[in-house]
Amino acid sequence: MTTDQPLKIAIQKSGRLSDDSRQLLRECGISIQNGKNALIARARNFPLEVLYLRDDDIPQYVADGTADVGIVGQNVVAEAGFEVAEVRALGFGGCRLSLAVPKSVDYPGLHWFEGKKVATSYPSILSRFLSEKGIRAEVHTISGSVEIAPNIGLADGIADLVSSGSTLFSNGLKEVEVIMHSEAVLVARPHLPKGKKAMLDKLVFRIDAVQRAARSKYVVLNAPNDRIEAISRILPGMKSPTVVPLARPGWSALHSVINEDEFWEVIDELKAAGAQGILVVPIEKMIY
Ligand code: ATP
Ligand code: ZN
């Protein structure tokens, strides 16, 4: 056990990032005693304290040192404009900040927005984007239900977060420009003290292992011995495949790891090279 102060991590209390943030910590082997309505919880087996906050407050709390690190959307980080370092992209909470206009508009391109009113909860990102593109438009900041603004005559268009687009669609809007793509990220306050930096490195080491595992599959297959070489060329593995003799003479089992992206292609090649009885198993953690 360490006598140092625990690393303080801010995560969203309740919302779209909450479950995935908690799950990530769990997959990193960190178990949190979770009083349902607690604002702070201490991890049992890692020097970590969890602060449950509104997502909008996380960049500021991390920047001013109330928390050391946080999990928050890149959109919120970009809007808040505080100095925090992005440590890792986390692969969940994916969305985009987009401009949308009423479906009936025959949208000719960005110049349509010239002189128009645009409602958003992301005024700084939107203003930056419009000025970079040389468009002068009136930015109206509203904090919720931005998608109804055009219907009630408050704005001509909106800039809002989109994932499937169904909310836009059901409000009679269509997405016309993507301003930024976003996902959840682990951010840290700049200049963490040494002890805290060491804890962060330990946490990031675990996150990397979890993410690598999520992208990989463990493959076990049988092959006649004279095919081992050809199959090994297809199956690079972490170093090279493990080859284990089977009880049946002349046959072996090969064990290896393959990348999810090339999964189906590799499976087809393996079959063509003589592999049989191919088993594909999820991996929980992967350490290099
Ligand atoms: P809070 O009460 O913490 O302020 P919120 O209502 O502002 O919550 P959520 O709707 O829970 O926030 O969204 C949190 C984050 O989830 C967003 O900032 C964004 O990064 C991500 N996200 C992913 N998909 C979407 C989406 N379709 N709409 C909104 N946010 C999304
Ligand atoms: Zn919020």
Side-chain angles (χ1 to χ4, degrees), residues 12 54-56:
Q12 192 186 21
R54 284 200 57 198
D55 67 343
D56 314 67

Side-chain angles (χ1 to χ4, degrees), residues 12 14 54-57 76 122 143:
Q12 192 186 21
S14 75
R54 284 200 57 198
D55 67 343
D56 314 67
D57 296 334
V76 173
Y122 293 89
S143 59

Side-chain angles (χ1 to χ4, degrees), residues 56-173:
D56 314 67
D57 296 334
I58 291 177
Q60 180 178 0
Y61 280 17
V62 171
D64 73 17
T66 307
D68 302 305
V69 298
I71 296 178
V72 66
Q74 286 164 317
N75 53 309
V76 173
V77 176
E79 180 64 24
F82 290 101
E83 198 201 338
V84 294
E86 189 175 311
V87 181
R88 283 292 184 279
L90 299 174
F92 60 82
C95 58
R96 50 201 187 272
L97 180 65
S98 289
L99 285 164
V101 301
K103 273 180 219 161
S104 56
V105 170
D106 187 13
Y107 182 74
L110 205 53
H111 61 272
W112 183 86
F113 283 95
E114 186 68 36
K116 297 278 202 306
K117 278 192 209 167
V118 188
T120 189
S121 308
Y122 293 89
S124 33
I125 301 175
L126 175 60
S127 303
R128 218 178 306 143
F129 175 80
L130 293 172
S131 83
E132 269 167 25
K133 303 285 180 187
I135 307 282
R136 277 156 310 169
E138 206 179 306
V139 173
H140 269 248
T141 307
I142 48 181
S143 59
S145 303
V146 171
E147 64 283 354
I148 62 166
N151 290 325
I152 59 173
L154 203 64
D156 302 297
I158 65 166
D160 203 8
L161 297 176
V162 185
S163 41
S164 69
S166 60
T167 308
L168 290 182
F169 189 81
S170 57
N171 283 283
L173 302 172

Side-chain angles (χ1 to χ4, degrees), residues 4-286:
D4 288 339
Q5 288 283 314
L7 187 73
K8 287 185 274 181
I9 185 168
I11 66 174
Q12 192 186 21
K13 180 168 171 52
S14 75
R16 291 172 195 263
L17 304 182
S18 315
D19 288 348
D20 286 330
S21 302
R22 288 193 177 96
Q23 190 187 334
L24 178 66
L25 294 179
R26 215 168 22 247
E27 285 171 348
C28 288
I30 297 170
S31 91
I32 300 156
Q33 299 110 317
N34 218 0
K36 197 83 180 116
N37 290 309
L39 296 179
I40 297 188
R42 179 71 210 258
R44 237 180 294 132
N45 49 0
F46 195 89
L48 191 77
E49 197 166 80
V50 183
L51 279 61
Y52 297 103
L53 300 174
R54 284 200 57 198
D55 67 343
D56 314 67
D57 296 334
I58 291 177
Q60 180 178 0
Y61 280 17
V62 171
D64 73 17
T66 307
D68 302 305
V69 298
I71 296 178
V72 66
Q74 286 164 317
N75 53 309
V76 173
V77 176
E79 180 64 24
F82 290 101
E83 198 201 338
V84 294
E86 189 175 311
V87 181
R88 283 292 184 279
L90 299 174
F92 60 82
C95 58
R96 50 201 187 272
L97 180 65
S98 289
L99 285 164
V101 301
K103 273 180 219 161
S104 56
V105 170
D106 187 13
Y107 182 74
L110 205 53
H111 61 272
W112 183 86
F113 283 95
E114 186 68 36
K116 297 278 202 306
K117 278 192 209 167
V118 188
T120 189
S121 308
Y122 293 89
S124 33
I125 301 175
L126 175 60
S127 303
R128 218 178 306 143
F129 175 80
L130 293 172
S131 83
E132 269 167 25
K133 303 285 180 187
I135 307 282
R136 277 156 310 169
E138 206 179 306
V139 173
H140 269 248
T141 307
I142 48 181
S143 59
S145 303
V146 171
E147 64 283 354
I148 62 166
N151 290 325
I152 59 173
L154 203 64
D156 302 297
I158 65 166
D160 203 8
L161 297 176
V162 185
S163 41
S164 69
S166 60
T167 308
L168 290 182
F169 189 81
S170 57
N171 283 283
L173 302 172
K174 62 181 178 187
E175 183 179 5
V176 291
E177 308 278 349
V178 176
I179 299 172
M180 75 175 284
H181 289 273
S182 177
E183 66 179 284
V185 285
L186 179 71
V187 292
R189 102 174 122 105
H191 319 299
L192 272 180
K194 219 167 149 201
K196 298 239 173 170
K197 175 73 170 63
M199 288 181 236
L200 172 60
D201 288 346
K202 217 169 139 181
L203 177 64
V204 169
F205 178 82
R206 294 189 186 189
I207 291 175
D208 287 346
V210 168
Q211 292 195 324
R212 223 178 274 127
R215 290 192 304 267
S216 306
K217 300 279 177 215
Y218 194 80
V219 181
V220 183
L221 57 87
N222 296 332
N225 288 342
D226 62 357
R227 296 296 167 85
I228 291 175
E229 217 185 293
I231 291 174
S232 299
R233 276 198 295 273
I234 306 167
L235 274 185
M238 292 221 269
K239 286 207 168 56
S240 65
T242 307
V243 181
V244 189
L246 294 185
R248 181 172 161 191
W251 281 72
S252 295
L254 277 76
H255 295 220
S256 190
V257 171
I258 61 178
N259 198 312
E260 189 158 57
D261 301 336
E262 49 196 18
F263 177 73
W264 287 110
E265 227 171 285
V266 170
I267 295 296
D268 287 342
E269 283 179 43
L270 289 173
K271 278 168 57 188
Q276 295 182 16
I278 305 173
L279 285 183
V280 180
V281 189
I283 299 173
E284 196 173 307
K285 308 281 189 302
M286 211 167 135

